[in-house]
Amino acid sequence: MSLSHEDLFVLFALVSAVTALLALAPKLRVPYPILMVIGGLALGFVPGMPEITLPPEVVLVGVLPPLLYSAAFFTSLRDLRANARAIGLLAIGLVGFTTVSVAVVVHEVTGLAWGPAFVLGAIVSPTDPIAATSIAERLGIPRRLVTIIEGESLVNDGTALVAYRFAVAAVVTGHFSVAEAAGSFIWSLVGGVGIGLAVGWVIRQIRRRLDNPPVEITIALMTGYFAYIPAELAGASAVLAVVTAGVYIGWHTPELTTVQTRLQGDAVWEILTFLLNALLFVLIGLQLPAILDSLSGRSVGTLIAYAAAVVATVIVVRLLWVYPAAYIPRWLSPRLRERDPYPPWQAPMLLGWAGMRGAVSLAAALALPLETDAGTAFPARDLIIFLTFAVILGTLVLQGLSLPLVIRWLGLEDDRVVEHEETKARVHAAEAALARIEELAGEDWVRDDTAERLKGLYQFRRGRFASRFHDDDDGEVEERSQRYQQLMRELLDAERQAVVALRGAGGISDEAMRRVLRDLDLEEARLDA
């Protein structure tokens, strides 16, 4: 079946608009998820634009596993352990608090029955980290806050979707058992983590026996599905299974991969996750016209009032939760207070304001069944979808656009923990190389002049990075290094121009040119090390 000229034109216009929005995002200094949602919303109201629906299974099964796996893979296990209490209070405690609070407000304001009200509460309870962390990392806030925001979003998707499953089942079947729900909840958590660990272990055993970058990267791309689908079939938390597998493989990756695999894999993941997230947020914006059409029986003012009430509840409930969660445990435990003192008030405030919602919430709303077991329509399904969209749009635009101002107002400065640890690692690596040179100096294949030259290189590198730990350093070593890097870049540029010119004159093939240019690019990237 071929596409019509009109369909091809619409597709071309949509792709062009998405590309333009992505190009505009850095120039406007607006996080791309926010611009994608607003742009998609504007595109949805363009005359002649066909109705575009987002099948929930595309997100929940097709798109969510690789995104979750990628986020978990690049998350530090050490940081997750160090902040487990804070992440748990947000990802489990706050999810429950938000679910109940939204249900109460929606029941009182809209008259929605308790079952559908709890469904909505579970849908809008998980946060989306993309916009918050992209802003936070660009403006430079303490690394611990970024870790908590990312860790919370990894876990709260799982807990929220478990609550969502129970609430939907109660509405569809007409009954709810606390004992059954408690047992299912425990199995969801334990089973999800267990399946994730099992899948991670199997993938680890397979990849450690491979030395083929394309195959290894393909397996990595599929690992999220390998964890998600079995967990879903077993009735466990598929989200927690993917997250667990991602963290496990991420921890063991250095022993499983070669340099080439890591370089190619990092590039593939960066591009894939960027494109998937951009696509999801544009599609979120495109949903609104169809959602509004389904609610034509209600006045615009009424819908706005409902949306404002739910958005305000989601924001206020989070702000009310973060301060007790941060201070009460320390107040109750002197040992905890001694090990981890009270944070400044600005830290909980930033965590409270970084509660944006995203694609997972919309996918859960769209996945609601059309009918109950009794054959009647699922109550208030269209209203739940609309209010979910309102929460996503409201939190992304209101909190996302104001987050830079909030960060500056709070005066939170980057503690440069990552830079400090990076410098420590580089000094340690240089010292290991110097020790190895001493061990190999007596080997027949190691020339004395080569060993001395390399020893001088690593001694300079060690001194350069060690100088960053001294506040009284005059910067002479760093300045020498920067001048050397500038000279090397000039020489590498000359090499590139010569190779390209040789290709242009027909002296070498494109393949030969690309191989040499890749080596020159890697050599330039190495200059900062």
PDB file of all heavy atoms in Angstrom, residues 388-421:
ATOM      1  N   THR A 388      -4.273  13.873  32.594  1.00  0.00           N
ATOM      2  CA  THR A 388      -2.883  13.416  32.530  1.00  0.00           C
ATOM      3  C   THR A 388      -2.073  14.320  31.616  1.00  0.00           C
ATOM      4  O   THR A 388      -0.953  14.737  31.957  1.00  0.00           O
ATOM      5  CB  THR A 388      -2.819  11.965  32.019  1.00  0.00           C
ATOM      6  OG1 THR A 388      -3.563  11.122  32.900  1.00  0.00           O
ATOM      7  CG2 THR A 388      -1.381  11.487  31.942  1.00  0.00           C
ATOM      8  N   PHE A 389      -2.625  14.622  30.449  1.00  0.00           N
ATOM      9  CA  PHE A 389      -1.930  15.519  29.528  1.00  0.00           C
ATOM     10  C   PHE A 389      -1.724  16.889  30.167  1.00  0.00           C
ATOM     11  O   PHE A 389      -0.659  17.505  30.013  1.00  0.00           O
ATOM     12  CB  PHE A 389      -2.724  15.668  28.228  1.00  0.00           C
ATOM     13  CG  PHE A 389      -2.049  16.560  27.225  1.00  0.00           C
ATOM     14  CD1 PHE A 389      -1.160  16.031  26.307  1.00  0.00           C
ATOM     15  CD2 PHE A 389      -2.287  17.924  27.204  1.00  0.00           C
ATOM     16  CE1 PHE A 389      -0.526  16.849  25.385  1.00  0.00           C
ATOM     17  CE2 PHE A 389      -1.658  18.749  26.296  1.00  0.00           C
ATOM     18  CZ  PHE A 389      -0.774  18.205  25.378  1.00  0.00           C
ATOM     19  N   ALA A 390      -2.725  17.364  30.881  1.00  0.00           N
ATOM     20  CA  ALA A 390      -2.610  18.676  31.526  1.00  0.00           C
ATOM     21  C   ALA A 390      -1.481  18.689  32.546  1.00  0.00           C
ATOM     22  O   ALA A 390      -0.731  19.673  32.649  1.00  0.00           O
ATOM     23  CB  ALA A 390      -3.939  19.040  32.200  1.00  0.00           C
ATOM     24  N   VAL A 391      -1.338  17.601  33.304  1.00  0.00           N
ATOM     25  CA  VAL A 391      -0.254  17.522  34.293  1.00  0.00           C
ATOM     26  C   VAL A 391       1.098  17.516  33.590  1.00  0.00           C
ATOM     27  O   VAL A 391       2.041  18.202  34.011  1.00  0.00           O
ATOM     28  CB  VAL A 391      -0.422  16.267  35.174  1.00  0.00           C
ATOM     29  CG1 VAL A 391       0.822  16.044  36.028  1.00  0.00           C
ATOM     30  CG2 VAL A 391      -1.648  16.415  36.066  1.00  0.00           C
ATOM     31  N   ILE A 392       1.215  16.745  32.506  1.00  0.00           N
ATOM     32  CA  ILE A 392       2.478  16.703  31.766  1.00  0.00           C
ATOM     33  C   ILE A 392       2.820  18.077  31.225  1.00  0.00           C
ATOM     34  O   ILE A 392       3.937  18.586  31.406  1.00  0.00           O
ATOM     35  CB  ILE A 392       2.396  15.675  30.625  1.00  0.00           C
ATOM     36  CG1 ILE A 392       2.218  14.265  31.187  1.00  0.00           C
ATOM     37  CG2 ILE A 392       3.643  15.731  29.748  1.00  0.00           C
ATOM     38  CD1 ILE A 392       1.920  13.228  30.122  1.00  0.00           C
ATOM     39  N   LEU A 393       1.869  18.692  30.543  1.00  0.00           N
ATOM     40  CA  LEU A 393       2.108  20.002  29.948  1.00  0.00           C
ATOM     41  C   LEU A 393       2.353  21.052  31.022  1.00  0.00           C
ATOM     42  O   LEU A 393       3.279  21.872  30.921  1.00  0.00           O
ATOM     43  CB  LEU A 393       0.906  20.406  29.084  1.00  0.00           C
ATOM     44  CG  LEU A 393       1.030  21.733  28.334  1.00  0.00           C
ATOM     45  CD1 LEU A 393       2.168  21.668  27.330  1.00  0.00           C
ATOM     46  CD2 LEU A 393      -0.276  22.079  27.634  1.00  0.00           C
ATOM     47  N   GLY A 394       1.545  21.033  32.081  1.00  0.00           N
ATOM     48  CA  GLY A 394       1.681  22.045  33.127  1.00  0.00           C
ATOM     49  C   GLY A 394       3.002  21.957  33.861  1.00  0.00           C
ATOM     50  O   GLY A 394       3.667  22.975  34.086  1.00  0.00           O
ATOM     51  N   THR A 395       3.411  20.749  34.229  1.00  0.00           N
ATOM     52  CA  THR A 395       4.676  20.619  34.963  1.00  0.00           C
ATOM     53  C   THR A 395       5.873  20.898  34.064  1.00  0.00           C
ATOM     54  O   THR A 395       6.842  21.533  34.493  1.00  0.00           O
ATOM     55  CB  THR A 395       4.804  19.214  35.575  1.00  0.00           C
ATOM     56  OG1 THR A 395       4.659  18.223  34.551  1.00  0.00           O
ATOM     57  CG2 THR A 395       3.760  18.998  36.645  1.00  0.00           C
ATOM     58  N   LEU A 396       5.827  20.433  32.818  1.00  0.00           N
ATOM     59  CA  LEU A 396       6.953  20.684  31.920  1.00  0.00           C
ATOM     60  C   LEU A 396       7.129  22.168  31.648  1.00  0.00           C
ATOM     61  O   LEU A 396       8.241  22.701  31.713  1.00  0.00           O
ATOM     62  CB  LEU A 396       6.748  19.943  30.593  1.00  0.00           C
ATOM     63  CG  LEU A 396       7.198  18.486  30.515  1.00  0.00           C
ATOM     64  CD1 LEU A 396       6.874  17.899  29.148  1.00  0.00           C
ATOM     65  CD2 LEU A 396       8.685  18.352  30.794  1.00  0.00           C
ATOM     66  N   VAL A 397       6.036  22.846  31.334  1.00  0.00           N
ATOM     67  CA  VAL A 397       6.135  24.263  30.984  1.00  0.00           C
ATOM     68  C   VAL A 397       6.378  25.116  32.217  1.00  0.00           C
ATOM     69  O   VAL A 397       7.311  25.926  32.253  1.00  0.00           O
ATOM     70  CB  VAL A 397       4.863  24.717  30.247  1.00  0.00           C
ATOM     71  CG1 VAL A 397       4.894  26.221  30.002  1.00  0.00           C
ATOM     72  CG2 VAL A 397       4.728  23.971  28.923  1.00  0.00           C
ATOM     73  N   LEU A 398       5.546  24.963  33.253  1.00  0.00           N
ATOM     74  CA  LEU A 398       5.666  25.821  34.432  1.00  0.00           C
ATOM     75  C   LEU A 398       6.972  25.547  35.179  1.00  0.00           C
ATOM     76  O   LEU A 398       7.771  26.462  35.418  1.00  0.00           O
ATOM     77  CB  LEU A 398       4.465  25.601  35.360  1.00  0.00           C
ATOM     78  CG  LEU A 398       4.517  26.339  36.710  1.00  0.00           C
ATOM     79  CD1 LEU A 398       4.575  27.833  36.482  1.00  0.00           C
ATOM     80  CD2 LEU A 398       3.324  25.966  37.568  1.00  0.00           C
ATOM     81  N   GLN A 399       7.185  24.290  35.560  1.00  0.00           N
ATOM     82  CA  GLN A 399       8.379  23.989  36.333  1.00  0.00           C
ATOM     83  C   GLN A 399       9.630  23.949  35.461  1.00  0.00           C
ATOM     84  O   GLN A 399      10.698  24.402  35.873  1.00  0.00           O
ATOM     85  CB  GLN A 399       8.193  22.643  37.046  1.00  0.00           C
ATOM     86  CG  GLN A 399       7.111  22.683  38.107  1.00  0.00           C
ATOM     87  CD  GLN A 399       6.958  21.343  38.808  1.00  0.00           C
ATOM     88  OE1 GLN A 399       6.629  20.333  38.177  1.00  0.00           O
ATOM     89  NE2 GLN A 399       7.211  21.313  40.098  1.00  0.00           N
ATOM     90  N   GLY A 400       9.495  23.386  34.254  1.00  0.00           N
ATOM     91  CA  GLY A 400      10.669  23.262  33.396  1.00  0.00           C
ATOM     92  C   GLY A 400      11.251  24.602  32.991  1.00  0.00           C
ATOM     93  O   GLY A 400      12.464  24.808  33.069  1.00  0.00           O
ATOM     94  N   LEU A 401      10.406  25.530  32.559  1.00  0.00           N
ATOM     95  CA  LEU A 401      10.901  26.831  32.124  1.00  0.00           C
ATOM     96  C   LEU A 401      11.389  27.681  33.288  1.00  0.00           C
ATOM     97  O   LEU A 401      12.274  28.528  33.124  1.00  0.00           O
ATOM     98  CB  LEU A 401       9.813  27.581  31.351  1.00  0.00           C
ATOM     99  CG  LEU A 401       9.431  26.988  29.988  1.00  0.00           C
ATOM    100  CD1 LEU A 401       8.352  27.825  29.329  1.00  0.00           C
ATOM    101  CD2 LEU A 401      10.658  26.891  29.076  1.00  0.00           C
ATOM    102  N   SER A 402      10.810  27.480  34.469  1.00  0.00           N
ATOM    103  CA  SER A 402      11.214  28.295  35.618  1.00  0.00           C
ATOM    104  C   SER A 402      12.363  27.684  36.407  1.00  0.00           C
ATOM    105  O   SER A 402      12.935  28.346  37.277  1.00  0.00           O
ATOM    106  CB  SER A 402      10.017  28.498  36.558  1.00  0.00           C
ATOM    107  OG  SER A 402       9.576  27.259  37.085  1.00  0.00           O
ATOM    108  N   LEU A 403      12.725  26.430  36.111  1.00  0.00           N
ATOM    109  CA  LEU A 403      13.757  25.760  36.893  1.00  0.00           C
ATOM    110  C   LEU A 403      15.101  26.495  36.868  1.00  0.00           C
ATOM    111  O   LEU A 403      15.758  26.601  37.911  1.00  0.00           O
ATOM    112  CB  LEU A 403      13.922  24.315  36.419  1.00  0.00           C
ATOM    113  CG  LEU A 403      14.726  23.391  37.330  1.00  0.00           C
ATOM    114  CD1 LEU A 403      14.124  23.347  38.727  1.00  0.00           C
ATOM    115  CD2 LEU A 403      14.782  21.978  36.752  1.00  0.00           C
ATOM    116  N   PRO A 404      15.552  27.020  35.731  1.00  0.00           N
ATOM    117  CA  PRO A 404      16.809  27.786  35.773  1.00  0.00           C
ATOM    118  C   PRO A 404      16.742  28.979  36.722  1.00  0.00           C
ATOM    119  O   PRO A 404      17.708  29.262  37.447  1.00  0.00           O
ATOM    120  CB  PRO A 404      16.992  28.236  34.321  1.00  0.00           C
ATOM    121  CG  PRO A 404      16.238  27.240  33.516  1.00  0.00           C
ATOM    122  CD  PRO A 404      15.059  26.862  34.354  1.00  0.00           C
ATOM    123  N   LEU A 405      15.616  29.685  36.727  1.00  0.00           N
ATOM    124  CA  LEU A 405      15.466  30.828  37.634  1.00  0.00           C
ATOM    125  C   LEU A 405      15.465  30.367  39.084  1.00  0.00           C
ATOM    126  O   LEU A 405      16.055  31.025  39.960  1.00  0.00           O
ATOM    127  CB  LEU A 405      14.172  31.575  37.320  1.00  0.00           C
ATOM    128  CG  LEU A 405      14.064  32.200  35.926  1.00  0.00           C
ATOM    129  CD1 LEU A 405      12.695  32.838  35.736  1.00  0.00           C
ATOM    130  CD2 LEU A 405      15.166  33.240  35.725  1.00  0.00           C
ATOM    131  N   VAL A 406      14.802  29.243  39.348  1.00  0.00           N
ATOM    132  CA  VAL A 406      14.763  28.710  40.713  1.00  0.00           C
ATOM    133  C   VAL A 406      16.157  28.324  41.175  1.00  0.00           C
ATOM    134  O   VAL A 406      16.556  28.602  42.318  1.00  0.00           O
ATOM    135  CB  VAL A 406      13.802  27.499  40.779  1.00  0.00           C
ATOM    136  CG1 VAL A 406      13.904  26.806  42.133  1.00  0.00           C
ATOM    137  CG2 VAL A 406      12.372  27.942  40.519  1.00  0.00           C
ATOM    138  N   ILE A 407      16.927  27.688  40.301  1.00  0.00           N
ATOM    139  CA  ILE A 407      18.289  27.281  40.668  1.00  0.00           C
ATOM    140  C   ILE A 407      19.137  28.502  40.993  1.00  0.00           C
ATOM    141  O   ILE A 407      19.886  28.518  41.978  1.00  0.00           O
ATOM    142  CB  ILE A 407      18.916  26.453  39.530  1.00  0.00           C
ATOM    143  CG1 ILE A 407      18.195  25.101  39.409  1.00  0.00           C
ATOM    144  CG2 ILE A 407      20.405  26.229  39.780  1.00  0.00           C
ATOM    145  CD1 ILE A 407      18.653  24.269  38.231  1.00  0.00           C
ATOM    146  N   ARG A 408      19.027  29.527  40.164  1.00  0.00           N
ATOM    147  CA  ARG A 408      19.814  30.752  40.436  1.00  0.00           C
ATOM    148  C   ARG A 408      19.339  31.422  41.718  1.00  0.00           C
ATOM    149  O   ARG A 408      20.152  31.943  42.497  1.00  0.00           O
ATOM    150  CB  ARG A 408      19.691  31.714  39.251  1.00  0.00           C
ATOM    151  CG  ARG A 408      20.301  31.185  37.955  1.00  0.00           C
ATOM    152  CD  ARG A 408      20.356  32.271  36.891  1.00  0.00           C
ATOM    153  NE  ARG A 408      20.809  31.742  35.628  1.00  0.00           N
ATOM    154  CZ  ARG A 408      20.001  31.384  34.634  1.00  0.00           C
ATOM    155  NH1 ARG A 408      18.678  31.487  34.780  1.00  0.00           N
ATOM    156  NH2 ARG A 408      20.488  30.907  33.508  1.00  0.00           N
ATOM    157  N   TRP A 409      18.030  31.434  41.951  1.00  0.00           N
ATOM    158  CA  TRP A 409      17.494  32.060  43.165  1.00  0.00           C
ATOM    159  C   TRP A 409      17.962  31.318  44.407  1.00  0.00           C
ATOM    160  O   TRP A 409      18.310  31.938  45.420  1.00  0.00           O
ATOM    161  CB  TRP A 409      15.967  32.084  43.097  1.00  0.00           C
ATOM    162  CG  TRP A 409      15.311  32.495  44.385  1.00  0.00           C
ATOM    163  CD1 TRP A 409      15.407  33.694  45.012  1.00  0.00           C
ATOM    164  CD2 TRP A 409      14.471  31.657  45.203  1.00  0.00           C
ATOM    165  NE1 TRP A 409      14.672  33.676  46.180  1.00  0.00           N
ATOM    166  CE2 TRP A 409      14.084  32.449  46.325  1.00  0.00           C
ATOM    167  CE3 TRP A 409      14.008  30.360  45.102  1.00  0.00           C
ATOM    168  CZ2 TRP A 409      13.267  31.945  47.321  1.00  0.00           C
ATOM    169  CZ3 TRP A 409      13.182  29.867  46.097  1.00  0.00           C
ATOM    170  CH2 TRP A 409      12.823  30.664  47.190  1.00  0.00           C
ATOM    171  N   LEU A 410      17.997  30.011  44.336  1.00  0.00           N
ATOM    172  CA  LEU A 410      18.427  29.224  45.487  1.00  0.00           C
ATOM    173  C   LEU A 410      19.930  29.334  45.733  1.00  0.00           C
ATOM    174  O   LEU A 410      20.395  29.054  46.842  1.00  0.00           O
ATOM    175  CB  LEU A 410      18.046  27.747  45.287  1.00  0.00           C
ATOM    176  CG  LEU A 410      16.539  27.438  45.247  1.00  0.00           C
ATOM    177  CD1 LEU A 410      16.307  25.970  44.918  1.00  0.00           C
ATOM    178  CD2 LEU A 410      15.889  27.784  46.580  1.00  0.00           C
ATOM    179  N   GLY A 411      20.672  29.703  44.709  1.00  0.00           N
ATOM    180  CA  GLY A 411      22.111  29.870  44.890  1.00  0.00           C
ATOM    181  C   GLY A 411      22.862  28.568  45.102  1.00  0.00           C
ATOM    182  O   GLY A 411      23.926  28.568  45.739  1.00  0.00           O
ATOM    183  N   LEU A 412      22.336  27.482  44.577  1.00  0.00           N
ATOM    184  CA  LEU A 412      23.023  26.198  44.720  1.00  0.00           C
ATOM    185  C   LEU A 412      24.186  26.128  43.739  1.00  0.00           C
ATOM    186  O   LEU A 412      24.007  26.275  42.531  1.00  0.00           O
ATOM    187  CB  LEU A 412      22.050  25.046  44.451  1.00  0.00           C
ATOM    188  CG  LEU A 412      20.999  24.806  45.526  1.00  0.00           C
ATOM    189  CD1 LEU A 412      19.938  23.838  45.021  1.00  0.00           C
ATOM    190  CD2 LEU A 412      21.636  24.262  46.788  1.00  0.00           C
ATOM    191  N   GLU A 413      25.368  25.906  44.241  1.00  0.00           N
ATOM    192  CA  GLU A 413      26.557  25.859  43.407  1.00  0.00           C
ATOM    193  C   GLU A 413      26.988  24.412  43.182  1.00  0.00           C
ATOM    194  O   GLU A 413      26.796  23.550  44.041  1.00  0.00           O
ATOM    195  CB  GLU A 413      27.709  26.641  44.054  1.00  0.00           C
ATOM    196  CG  GLU A 413      27.425  28.128  44.205  1.00  0.00           C
ATOM    197  CD  GLU A 413      28.605  28.866  44.796  1.00  0.00           C
ATOM    198  OE1 GLU A 413      29.600  28.196  45.144  1.00  0.00           O
ATOM    199  OE2 GLU A 413      28.535  30.097  44.907  1.00  0.00           O
ATOM    200  N   ASP A 414      27.581  24.192  42.035  1.00  0.00           N
ATOM    201  CA  ASP A 414      28.103  22.864  41.718  1.00  0.00           C
ATOM    202  C   ASP A 414      29.223  22.517  42.691  1.00  0.00           C
ATOM    203  O   ASP A 414      30.175  23.285  42.862  1.00  0.00           O
ATOM    204  CB  ASP A 414      28.639  22.878  40.283  1.00  0.00           C
ATOM    205  CG  ASP A 414      28.976  21.483  39.789  1.00  0.00           C
ATOM    206  OD1 ASP A 414      28.930  20.542  40.599  1.00  0.00           O
ATOM    207  OD2 ASP A 414      29.293  21.342  38.590  1.00  0.00           O
ATOM    208  N   ASP A 415      29.103  21.365  43.362  1.00  0.00           N
ATOM    209  CA  ASP A 415      30.148  20.948  44.294  1.00  0.00           C
ATOM    210  C   ASP A 415      31.340  20.298  43.589  1.00  0.00           C
ATOM    211  O   ASP A 415      32.325  19.931  44.231  1.00  0.00           O
ATOM    212  CB  ASP A 415      29.593  19.976  45.338  1.00  0.00           C
ATOM    213  CG  ASP A 415      28.821  18.828  44.696  1.00  0.00           C
ATOM    214  OD1 ASP A 415      28.978  18.609  43.473  1.00  0.00           O
ATOM    215  OD2 ASP A 415      28.060  18.154  45.410  1.00  0.00           O
ATOM    216  N   ARG A 416      31.219  20.161  42.261  1.00  0.00           N
ATOM    217  CA  ARG A 416      32.317  19.660  41.419  1.00  0.00           C
ATOM    218  C   ARG A 416      32.853  18.312  41.911  1.00  0.00           C
ATOM    219  O   ARG A 416      34.050  18.023  41.799  1.00  0.00           O
ATOM    220  CB  ARG A 416      33.454  20.693  41.352  1.00  0.00           C
ATOM    221  CG  ARG A 416      32.994  22.079  40.891  1.00  0.00           C
ATOM    222  CD  ARG A 416      34.176  23.015  40.670  1.00  0.00           C
ATOM    223  NE  ARG A 416      34.967  22.576  39.517  1.00  0.00           N
ATOM    224  CZ  ARG A 416      34.672  22.860  38.254  1.00  0.00           C
ATOM    225  NH1 ARG A 416      33.584  23.560  37.977  1.00  0.00           N
ATOM    226  NH2 ARG A 416      35.443  22.456  37.278  1.00  0.00           N
ATOM    227  N   VAL A 417      31.956  17.502  42.444  1.00  0.00           N
ATOM    228  CA  VAL A 417      32.368  16.183  42.921  1.00  0.00           C
ATOM    229  C   VAL A 417      32.874  15.327  41.766  1.00  0.00           C
ATOM    230  O   VAL A 417      33.903  14.647  41.874  1.00  0.00           O
ATOM    231  CB  VAL A 417      31.183  15.482  43.634  1.00  0.00           C
ATOM    232  CG1 VAL A 417      31.499  14.013  43.879  1.00  0.00           C
ATOM    233  CG2 VAL A 417      30.880  16.183  44.944  1.00  0.00           C
ATOM    234  N   VAL A 418      32.153  15.357  40.634  1.00  0.00           N
ATOM    235  CA  VAL A 418      32.549  14.529  39.504  1.00  0.00           C
ATOM    236  C   VAL A 418      33.916  14.952  38.978  1.00  0.00           C
ATOM    237  O   VAL A 418      34.774  14.111  38.683  1.00  0.00           O
ATOM    238  CB  VAL A 418      31.494  14.608  38.383  1.00  0.00           C
ATOM    239  CG1 VAL A 418      31.955  13.820  37.158  1.00  0.00           C
ATOM    240  CG2 VAL A 418      30.156  14.070  38.872  1.00  0.00           C
ATOM    241  N   GLU A 419      34.141  16.269  38.861  1.00  0.00           N
ATOM    242  CA  GLU A 419      35.440  16.754  38.380  1.00  0.00           C
ATOM    243  C   GLU A 419      36.558  16.356  39.336  1.00  0.00           C
ATOM    244  O   GLU A 419      37.654  15.978  38.903  1.00  0.00           O
ATOM    245  CB  GLU A 419      35.405  18.273  38.217  1.00  0.00           C
ATOM    246  CG  GLU A 419      34.573  18.767  37.043  1.00  0.00           C
ATOM    247  CD  GLU A 419      33.089  18.787  37.360  1.00  0.00           C
ATOM    248  OE1 GLU A 419      32.717  18.384  38.493  1.00  0.00           O
ATOM    249  OE2 GLU A 419      32.298  19.187  36.486  1.00  0.00           O
ATOM    250  N   HIS A 420      36.286  16.446  40.641  1.00  0.00           N
ATOM    251  CA  HIS A 420      37.291  16.071  41.629  1.00  0.00           C
ATOM    252  C   HIS A 420      37.631  14.582  41.512  1.00  0.00           C
ATOM    253  O   HIS A 420      38.819  14.208  41.524  1.00  0.00           O
ATOM    254  CB  HIS A 420      36.770  16.391  43.030  1.00  0.00           C
ATOM    255  CG  HIS A 420      37.716  15.998  44.129  1.00  0.00           C
ATOM    256  ND1 HIS A 420      38.722  16.816  44.574  1.00  0.00           N
ATOM    257  CD2 HIS A 420      37.806  14.861  44.877  1.00  0.00           C
ATOM    258  CE1 HIS A 420      39.391  16.211  45.544  1.00  0.00           C
ATOM    259  NE2 HIS A 420      38.849  15.013  45.750  1.00  0.00           N
ATOM    260  N   GLU A 421      36.606  13.743  41.382  1.00  0.00           N
ATOM    261  CA  GLU A 421      36.854  12.310  41.288  1.00  0.00           C
ATOM    262  C   GLU A 421      37.508  11.951  39.954  1.00  0.00           C
ATOM    263  O   GLU A 421      38.315  11.015  39.886  1.00  0.00           O
ATOM    264  CB  GLU A 421      35.547  11.554  41.479  1.00  0.00           C
ATOM    265  CG  GLU A 421      34.987  11.672  42.886  1.00  0.00           C
ATOM    266  CD  GLU A 421      33.732  10.848  43.091  1.00  0.00           C
ATOM    267  OE1 GLU A 421      33.163  10.391  42.064  1.00  0.00           O
ATOM    268  OE2 GLU A 421      33.326  10.660  44.245  1.00  0.00           O
TER     269      GLU A 421
END
